Amino acid sequence: MSTDVVSEVARQRAADIANRQMLVQRAKELAPVFARNASQTEQDRRAAEENVQALQDAGIFKTMTPQRYGGFQGSVRTHLEVTAAVAESCGGTAWVVALTNVCNWFTGLMGQQAQDDVFGANPNARVAGVLTPSATLRRVEGGAILTGKWFWASGSLHADWAFVG
């Protein structure tokens, strides 16, 4: 392995560690907001809008978004530690953070055109997803008909895009 590659890997790891510390700290600072809204989140069966806005403002939904779109492109460890920090004060909100970030990561694994469609016009885009396919697609003149059943997609009420299996 070349020295340049080793240096780049070390740089990326250091950036991930610094971003992890910053994002975990931000999540902990938001704990009073999440705790205040925890019972409402539970009752409504969705993250309180104040929580979602606070997460957006803190950049926490960008934990796994590719760097080229202004995200942190965090590691799985960073994803888990940030989610755990949110969960300390509101498990329901943490669930939305976990799934939104992993769906943003899945989107980052897609081709360039798909990534540009999602994050290009809106670097703050949030993606919800359901990866248990049960659909059938039938080609018809002028397009296609998609039928099936998709299960709950946590965070879909706060998402800009849906990633469906």
Side-chain angles (χ1 to χ4, degrees):
M1 193 178 304
S2 76
T3 305
D4 291 343
V5 172
V6 171
S7 295
E8 179 59 19
V9 169
R11 186 199 63 74
Q12 289 175 358
R13 185 170 187 274
D16 184 53
I17 291 168
N19 289 335
R20 177 183 319 134
Q21 292 170 344
M22 174 194 61
L23 291 167
V24 166
Q25 182 61 37
R26 288 178 182 181
K28 289 181 178 192
E29 289 169 359
L30 293 172
V33 173
F34 302 151
R36 179 176 64 242
N37 294 321
S39 62
Q40 188 68 43
T41 292
E42 180 73 19
Q43 180 180 336
D44 292 348
R45 299 183 63 161
R46 64 181 285 183
E49 197 56 45
E50 182 181 19
N51 292 6
V52 172
Q53 189 60 54
L55 292 162
Q56 183 72 32
D57 293 345
I60 291 173
F61 285 126
K62 296 173 97 171
T63 300
M64 304 286 283
T65 300
Q67 288 175 339
R68 69 182 159 278
Y69 301 105
F72 297 103
Q73 198 167 321
S75 65
V76 171
R77 180 175 175 180
T78 295
H79 175 254
L80 294 173
E81 287 190 23
V82 170
T83 302
V86 175
E88 290 175 9
S89 49
C90 183
T93 297
W95 182 249
V96 171
V97 166
L99 295 178
T100 300
N101 276 310
V102 83
C103 288
N104 283 2
W105 176 68
F106 286 149
T107 304
L109 297 175
M110 298 177 79
Q112 187 70 43
Q113 182 63 54
Q115 293 179 49
D116 286 346
D117 287 349
V118 173
F119 299 118
N122 179 7
N124 292 316
R126 295 187 297 262
V127 182
V130 177
L131 302 176
T132 52
S134 64
T136 57
L137 179 74
R138 183 168 48 96
R139 298 264 180 218
V140 297
E141 188 176 324
I145 296 176
L146 179 66
T147 59
K149 177 181 179 181
W150 284 268
F151 300 92
W152 297 103
S154 298
S156 61
L157 297 173
H158 310 293
D160 304 293
W161 289 83
F163 188 102
V164 294

